[in-house]
């Protein structure tokens, strides 16, 4: 019963984060499964990535129906993220001090998540901005952002929803809802690839945990995405900021417990 409750709560938190802010399910599911149920990290990440697939797909479809996906530059970002995720994974296994590097990157991710959350609360992204194209074309800029995001995701072993949201809103100048919709569209592909690799290497996880997380993440993401597309941009920014701050606190507590 406790296992079901933890998985359900993790799935609901992950689904709301995905539907509202385009965050990876790994932000909520992995820390909760590891901390409260003692699930091995690699297995927990695999469950989180599998939960991301349907949740991201249904969220992307909901944002698409509302016209909040930019498929132009997102294709470049997608290819770059996938390629450098593979490279980052290879480097992670090759580096002997991987555990130290992983902890450092986790701290960077936590700090970035908290700062970005404060940014959305204090200074919401209310409209489409200008791409930072002084030195790079939008296509090259998208490729560079995807390279950084993909490498960090592959090296660290978790999703890149927060980093994609940062790249799309701050660097590429996307309107907020378009950034969220585009982010989850990319995540649907990368999560499927990541989950497949995890299951091939480590075998299938506990099926009860997997199905519980997948179902609750899917339902929560569908509801959250529908609500998010009806909210004002300012309210959505601030709700996302709160989610980012909470997720940063959850990850920090997980590191402290570890």
């Amino acid at each position: 019963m406790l296992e079901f409750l933890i998985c359900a709560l993790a799935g609901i938190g992950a689904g709301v984060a995905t539907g509202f802010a385009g965050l990876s399910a790994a932000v909520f599911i992995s820390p909760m499964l590891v901390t409260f149920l003692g699930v091995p990290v690699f297995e927990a990440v695999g469950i989180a990535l599998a939960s991301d697939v349907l949740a991201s797909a249904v969220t992307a479809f909901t944002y698409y129906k509302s016209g909040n996906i930019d498929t132009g530059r997102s294709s470049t970002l997608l290819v770059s993220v996938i390629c450098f995720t593979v490279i980052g994974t290879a480097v992670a296994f090759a580096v002997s001090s991987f555990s130290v590097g992983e902890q450092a990157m986790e701290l960077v991710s936590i700090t970035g998540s908290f700062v970005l959350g404060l940014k959305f609360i204090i200074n919401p992204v209310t409209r489409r901005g200008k791409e930072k194209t002084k030195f790079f074309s939008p296509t090259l800029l998208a490729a560079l952002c995807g390279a950084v995001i993909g490498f960090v995701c592959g090296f660290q072993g978790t999703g890149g929803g927060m980093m994609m949201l940062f790249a799309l809103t701050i660097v590429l100048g996307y309107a907020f809802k378009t950034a969220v919709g585009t982010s989850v569209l990319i995540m649907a592909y990368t999560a499927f690839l990541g989950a497949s690799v995890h299951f091939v290497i480590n075998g299938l996880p506990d099926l009860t945990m997997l199905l519980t997380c997948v179902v609750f993440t899917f339902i929560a993401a569908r509801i959250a995405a529908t609500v998010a597309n009806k909210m004002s941009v300012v309210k959505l920014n601030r709700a996302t900021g709160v989610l980012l701050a909470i997720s940063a606190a959850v990850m920090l507590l997980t590191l402290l417990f570890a």
Side-chain angles (χ1 to χ4, degrees):
M1 185 63 184
L2 177 62
E3 178 182 296
F4 175 82
L5 181 61
I6 295 297
C7 290
L9 289 175
I12 291 171
V16 171
T18 300
F20 263 58
L23 301 183
S24 169
V27 170
F28 279 87
I29 291 178
S30 297
M32 290 191 70
L33 295 187
V34 171
T35 303
F36 298 111
L37 296 179
V39 178
V41 175
F42 197 82
E43 182 178 344
V45 172
I47 292 174
L49 289 170
S51 301
D52 253 337
V53 178
L54 288 178
S56 294
V58 72
T59 300
F61 181 69
T62 303
Y63 276 83
Y64 172 76
K65 289 195 299 182
S66 298
N68 289 320
I69 284 184
D70 182 347
T71 57
R73 285 169 292 163
S74 66
S75 58
T76 303
L77 191 66
L78 170 62
V79 172
S80 183
V81 168
I82 290 176
C83 291
F84 278 87
T85 296
V86 175
I87 295 173
T89 302
V91 172
F93 280 102
V95 176
S96 59
S97 59
F98 169 68
S99 60
V100 176
E102 183 180 29
Q103 289 178 351
M105 297 187 88
E106 283 181 8
L107 287 174
V108 171
S109 177
I110 291 170
T111 303
S113 180
F114 187 74
V115 171
L116 188 61
L118 290 181
K119 192 274 177 196
F120 288 145
I121 294 171
I122 298 171
N123 185 25
V125 179
T126 56
R127 61 184 182 277
R128 181 183 177 90
K130 295 182 179 179
E131 302 93 341
K132 305 298 187 285
T133 57
K134 185 177 181 180
F135 301 105
F136 303 104
S137 69
T139 301
L140 180 57
L141 201 56
L144 291 173
C145 289
V148 174
I149 293 167
F151 184 85
V152 173
C153 290
F155 191 91
Q156 192 174 345
T158 56
M162 183 274 292
M163 289 182 289
M164 276 193 278
L165 192 61
F166 174 84
L168 292 171
T169 56
I170 307 301
V171 180
L172 297 180
Y174 276 40
F176 188 79
K177 290 185 180 181
T178 304
V180 175
T182 305
S183 174
V184 292
L185 176 64
I186 295 172
M187 280 172 51
Y189 290 98
T190 56
F192 178 79
L193 175 63
S196 299
V197 172
H198 273 72
F199 295 159
V200 167
I201 294 174
N202 202 46
L204 288 175
D206 183 287
L207 292 181
T208 302
M209 282 188 186
L210 176 63
L211 290 175
T212 303
C213 288
V214 168
V215 170
F216 278 92
T217 304
F218 175 83
I219 294 172
R222 178 69 179 88
I223 296 172
T226 301
V227 172
N229 276 280
K230 294 179 180 178
M231 290 176 67
S232 69
V233 177
V234 173
K235 288 182 179 179
L236 183 57
N237 268 255
R238 287 174 177 158
T240 301
V242 172
L243 278 172
L244 285 168
I246 292 174
S247 66
V250 170
M251 287 189 288
L252 180 59
L253 287 173
T254 302
L255 283 179
L256 291 176
F257 275 118

